[in-house]
Amino acid sequence: MTPASALYNDLRDAGVIVTGGASGIGAALVEAFAAQGAKVAFLDRDVPAGEALAASLSATARHAVGFHAVDLADVEALKEAMQAAVDGLGGLKVLVNNAGWDDRHDLDDVNEAYWDHNQAINLRQMFFCVQAAAPALREAGSGAIVNLSSIAYLLNMPDLPSYAAAKAGIIGLTKSLAGRLGPEGIRVNALLPGMIVTERQKELWLTEEGMAAMVARQCLKRVLVAEDMVGPCLFLASSASGAITAQSIIADGGVF
Ligand SMILES: NC(=O)c1ccc[n+]([C@@H]2O[C@H](COP(=O)([O-])OP(=O)(O)OC[C@H]3O[C@@H](n4cnc5c(N)ncnc54)[C@H](O)[C@@H]3O)[C@@H](O)[C@H]2O)c1
């Protein structure tokens, strides 16, 4: 079943930035915002995939889709890329903090450098993207931030402690920033995907047995795909969810 799509009038011509938009869930979100008629820019370190996606979407989208190549672990580069993206859009209403890195790692092997790098990609950059986006969101008078967390931190998964800690941290970050930015009309929510089968997930971590086991835990007995995150994300980005902030939405087919 292909997820249904709704059209949100307030997203038309709205400035939207998606991090990690070159592939996976982020690419589905970039495509979906472009289909809403939004002005979309995305940040990613994967240059070939980013350039290809921006070119293919720009051919038919209402507004050309902007791609900014950056490693978000580099905070100074992140700030420059965010500024360039905001300038290119001419304003900002929505930030989707989607970029993440679910590399597996073991308790006995992780050193300080690995831990710090993992946190830099999975947690630190989300804070600094919000900091960089805040002036433009304030200028817009209202806005929405959607932070991609994960059910991974609720599942006692043994092979990604740093990632799980970061994804749990995103919930705290979301609630604190919602408190800070709410008085300025900016909403901040978290989206927790379940097992979303992307090309990368299939290549790296997912086996047929693993996928079958997760589907068995879900209420909905089907494999979830990147497009399943579009509806919840557009809803949280749109003023349709205008009274919702500081919340976490789990979109996992009913594991929790
Ligand atoms: N796929 C899943 O099952 C799943 C489940 C729960 C949560 N999530 C979360 O959803 C988000 C998207 O997941 P996905 O599966 O599509 O991931 P993905 O790995 O397929 O895509 C992530 C994108 O972010 C980019 N990226 C990663 N590190 C970056 C960096 N340092 N600088 C710039 N770009 C960087 C990658 O190049 C890629 O395009 C992530 O935050 C992830 O943790 C995914």
Side-chain angles (χ1 to χ4, degrees):
M1 185 184 69
T2 310
S5 59
L7 207 54
Y8 293 99
N9 291 332
D10 64 306
L11 293 178
R12 191 177 169 94
D13 301 328
V16 177
I17 293 178
V18 179
T19 68
S23 64
I25 294 170
L29 299 178
V30 167
E31 186 175 354
F33 280 107
Q36 295 284 325
K39 295 178 187 165
V40 190
F42 65 99
L43 277 52
D44 207 293
R45 65 180 171 188
D46 185 340
V47 177
E51 285 179 346
L53 182 67
S56 78
L57 292 178
S58 294
T60 53
R62 178 173 164 83
H63 301 283
V65 173
F67 166 55
H68 300 267
V70 63
D71 181 350
L72 294 163
D74 178 341
V75 174
E76 285 312 309
L78 171 162
K79 289 179 183 174
E80 281 173 29
M82 283 292 294
Q83 192 55 54
V86 169
D87 291 346
L89 295 172
L92 190 66
K93 287 287 275 186
V94 176
L95 168 66
V96 182
N97 268 326
N98 163 78
W101 182 54
D102 64 349
D103 198 30
R104 277 20 178 198
H105 46 277
D106 188 68
L107 168 67
D108 294 333
D109 301 329
V110 169
N111 60 22
E112 198 177 336
Y114 182 92
W115 176 272
D116 286 348
H117 186 56
N118 192 295
Q119 295 298 309
I121 294 185
N122 285 310
L123 183 58
R124 187 176 73 185
Q125 51 90 8
M126 289 206 180
F127 172 82
F128 284 102
C129 282
V130 172
Q131 188 186 64
L137 293 170
R138 286 182 179 125
E139 211 173 302
S142 67
I145 297 169
V146 183
N147 295 326
L148 274 282
S149 173
S150 173
I151 65 165
Y153 86 85
L154 297 165
L155 283 170
N156 309 335
M157 290 173 75
D159 51 357
L160 29 68
S162 181
Y163 175 84
K167 289 296 174 184
I170 289 167
I171 305 301
L173 182 70
T174 298
K175 295 192 78 69
S176 175
L177 292 173
R180 174 67 176 81
L181 294 171
E184 302 179 82
I186 300 163
R187 300 179 299 106
V188 191
N189 291 293
L191 178 59
L192 284 70
M195 182 191 69
I196 309 302
V197 177
T198 62
E199 281 313 309
R200 180 172 183 275
Q201 295 291 320
K202 271 198 286 194
E203 230 169 73
L204 293 177
W205 325 118
L206 295 180
T207 58
E208 288 301 326
E209 305 77 62
M211 285 195 276
M214 186 54 97
V215 170
R217 289 182 73 166
Q218 296 172 190
C219 299
L220 304 175
K221 304 299 178 192
R222 70 173 174 88
V223 162
L224 304 183
V225 293
E227 287 69 25
D228 283 302
M229 298 304 106
V230 164
C233 186
L234 291 179
F235 172 66
L236 290 174
S238 157
S239 58
S241 61
I244 298 177
T245 194
Q247 301 306 304
S248 301
I249 292 188
I250 295 181
D252 68 351
V255 174
F256 288 96

